[in-house]
Amino acid sequence: MNSDNRNVILAVVLSMIVLFGWQFFIAGPQLEQAQRQAEIAAQQQAESEQLAVPATNADGSAAAPAATSGAPQVFADRDTAIAATDRVAISTADLEGSINLTGARIDDLELKQYRETVDPDSPIIALLKPAGLPDAYFVEQGWAAAAGSSVALPTSQSVWTLEGDNATLTADTPVTLRFDNGEGLVFHRTFAVDDFYLFTVTQTVENTGAGDVALFPYSRVIRHGNPQVQNFFIQHEGPIGVLGSNNYVARKYGDLQNERQVDFSSTTGWLGIADKYWATAVLPKPETAINARFAFSQSGGTNVFQTNYVETQPVMVPAGGTVSHEAYVFAGAKEDRVIAAYQEDFGFDRLELLIDWGWFHFLTKPMHWLLVTLYGILGNFGLAVLAVTVIVKAIFFPLANRSYASMAAMRRVQPEMKAIQERLKDDRAAQQQAMMELYKKEKINPLSGCWPILIQIPVFFALYTVIFISLEMRHAPFFGWIQDLAAPDPTNIFTLFGLIPWNPTALPILGSFLHLGIWPVIMGISMWVQMRLNPPPPDPTQAMIFNWMPVIFTFMLGTFPAGLVIYWAWNNTLSIAQQWFIMKRHGVEVNLFGNIIDSFRRKPKPAEPTKS
């Protein structure tokens, strides 16, 4: 590998270091600081904004949402909040919770198949929570009246009654709630749920009065507090939507605090709020014209985030008639195959974007499919990661073979290259010309050694994205101490793997660097050994950088998901074997052990010039 080749590799690696370093040291802290400043500014508002459902009547006048009464009661905990109101139970194979008869809203939902930690006895994931809690999170449907209308509509404080004998919503038995406004309108709200996470909400209005009534259906997701997010650049967490020609729309919580309100008029699509592994979204029927809004306000000092839509065309309820309207709610885990089935079966526009596949989505999605498929065969996601690495190596083997063959050829002509450099050391242009003639004569591509590394970068990011965002990888065990491939290696050499009872990561400034598990160390060693396949570069600066690079990457990957670190260590090991085999086959002596021993030898100091 000549100096040009090393420089290209060095530039690629340094670019990766800059990318991760920028996120860790600059972008991340700046984002956190901006979010804190936005929170402080919002708290200094004299009055909180009233959230409104956007709508426009056919004549251009604004439609108004149902009014809400004052701030909700404050509860000490979730159990107390749930016990404070009458409810209808929800029970399916995947969901557990209840519908609040006050407001007829879904505000209590747990995901039975997922737990907070790898401990099988840890609590199951609580997705939705009632109002009155600091982290309230719920879904609400309703009707908005035309501007100037005096029709009495149910509000978030209206108490509904259960209709019929069925008091539990299951995948086979829907439930219906009823509210009479006492002025000639009777509202029914029927909830149905499938085997996974999709609710169908059918709103029916009976008009026993003398005049026609125009109502606009709306639906919204409301979240209180400051949701905990990882603020990592490869995945969005916060308000999201796919809104017709606006395409994919997303706002970070901090950004929405600054903007306060973002409207999208006369569009189609869906919107909601996404976490890393879970999401809640409201979805009208496909191609329904809506006005959508992302909004932020404060209520009693609590931050309130909302995504909502209202249909632009009113539902006309004739005197003496009954009209029904149907919409959907997704509330659950971001399981790829489930979401893809909803998109296919119901025609929801690009619902797959509930999952943030990242920049390299054209690689990430096939990579995810391959991992899940291999998991079905091997029964272990760690083994699936190792198998994917082998498959990727096999796919790019012809390119790697040509690359390493060219590198081997360059090793053979190294004496001639040094002779040219020495002979033409004072004529740089002539030296480059002679080098190019030598490359052409020996059929050598001096940059071919960089291609395996360049190709690995998007593959690496695609696999990293899959491991980071894929729900299937969450709490997926490998072997031994790795019980969650999506979490960092839990061991730490700075505690002697648990023998010293202290937490070095709690130290200020340096703490973030003091988590280094066994697998990151293995990865660093494999990277260091791989670099020993070639003699050290003659340039001292390059030699120093290449020597420290494995150390830098070891600490950088110390906090990365264990699955990614295992992939990199295994990939390095395969690369060592591959490069050794190809270069030996082309007659190049690979003095790996000699290079390793030389790296530990103290370099002789240059002789001091003799005094005359």
Side-chain angles (χ1 to χ4, degrees), residues 68-368:
T68 59
S69 56
Q73 183 180 353
V74 177
F75 299 102
D77 54 51
R78 184 168 176 270
D79 291 339
T80 304
I82 292 172
T85 56
D86 293 330
R87 294 176 171 272
V88 172
I90 300 172
S91 182
T92 71
D94 290 322
L95 301 175
E96 193 77 31
S98 59
I99 299 170
N100 195 342
L101 292 184
T102 300
R105 58 169 56 146
I106 305 173
D107 65 353
D108 168 33
L109 202 62
E110 295 178 301
L111 310 182
K112 295 164 65 174
Q113 303 302 322
Y114 299 96
R115 297 189 176 272
E116 293 182 359
T117 69
V118 294
D119 184 350
D121 296 325
S122 65
I124 60 177
I125 293 296
L127 179 63
L128 302 183
K129 301 177 183 179
L133 297 174
D135 55 349
Y137 187 15
F138 51 88
V139 182
E140 189 173 73
Q141 287 81 26
W143 298 99
S149 173
S150 59
V151 61
L153 297 174
T155 73
S156 61
Q157 301 303 312
S158 300
V159 178
W160 297 58
T161 58
L162 176 65
E163 196 170 68
D165 297 329
N166 180 38
T168 301
L169 173 60
T170 70
D172 300 318
T173 57
V175 296
T176 300
L177 309 182
R178 182 180 186 274
F179 176 80
D180 189 337
N181 75 345
E183 299 179 5
L185 294 180
V186 179
F187 299 87
H188 298 266
R189 193 167 295 168
T190 299
F191 293 88
V193 64
D194 69 353
D195 292 327
F196 298 102
Y197 311 113
L198 190 68
F199 293 83
T200 302
V201 182
T202 304
Q203 297 194 86
T204 302
V205 183
E206 299 177 26
N207 185 0
T208 61
D212 297 348
V213 178
L215 300 175
F216 295 84
Y218 75 83
S219 189
R220 54 188 171 189
V221 180
I222 300 176
R223 190 169 198 173
H224 291 205
N226 300 305
Q228 296 296 316
V229 297
Q230 296 194 12
N231 277 335
F232 208 63
F233 69 97
I234 68 169
Q235 185 185 43
H236 174 76
E237 296 175 78
I240 62 168
V242 171
L243 299 173
S245 61
N246 299 289
N247 297 312
Y248 177 74
V249 179
R251 290 293 189 277
K252 293 183 179 294
Y253 292 108
D255 294 339
L256 191 55
Q257 283 181 279
N258 292 328
E259 293 179 277
R260 302 198 71 86
Q261 183 172 299
V262 185
D263 290 336
F264 301 89
S265 300
S266 300
T267 184
T268 58
W270 55 268
L271 67 168
I273 296 177
D275 294 321
K276 180 176 181 179
Y277 295 118
W278 336 112
T280 304
V282 287
L283 310 97
K285 284 190 172 182
E287 303 304 323
T288 299
I290 61 173
N291 290 337
R293 170 176 291 179
F294 293 175
F296 166 79
S297 70
Q298 282 202 313
S299 175
T302 299
N303 290 341
V304 180
F305 301 92
Q306 175 172 301
T307 61
N308 61 67
Y309 73 81
V310 65
E311 297 187 14
T312 60
Q313 295 300 315
V315 173
M316 300 302 299
V317 188
T322 300
V323 174
S324 293
H325 174 271
E326 192 173 77
Y328 305 93
V329 173
F330 176 91
K334 297 196 295 187
E335 297 178 7
D336 172 54
R337 295 183 180 183
V338 172
I339 293 173
Y342 290 151
Q343 178 173 310
E344 178 69 22
D345 296 341
F346 291 85
F348 297 131
D349 185 13
R350 291 164 284 179
L351 188 62
E352 63 181 358
L353 295 181
L354 268 177
I355 303 173
D356 189 352
W357 293 105
W359 302 334
F360 297 100
H361 58 90
F362 55 90
L363 289 176
T364 306
K365 293 192 70 176
M367 186 77 74
H368 176 267

Side-chain angles (χ1 to χ4, degrees), residues 406-425:
S406 183
M407 292 169 61
M410 291 187 70
R411 291 279 293 275
R412 287 199 308 270
V413 300
Q414 196 75 24
E416 295 181 54
M417 293 170 60
K418 289 183 178 179
I420 292 173
Q421 291 171 346
E422 182 64 26
R423 186 176 72 250
L424 302 173
K425 60 182 178 181

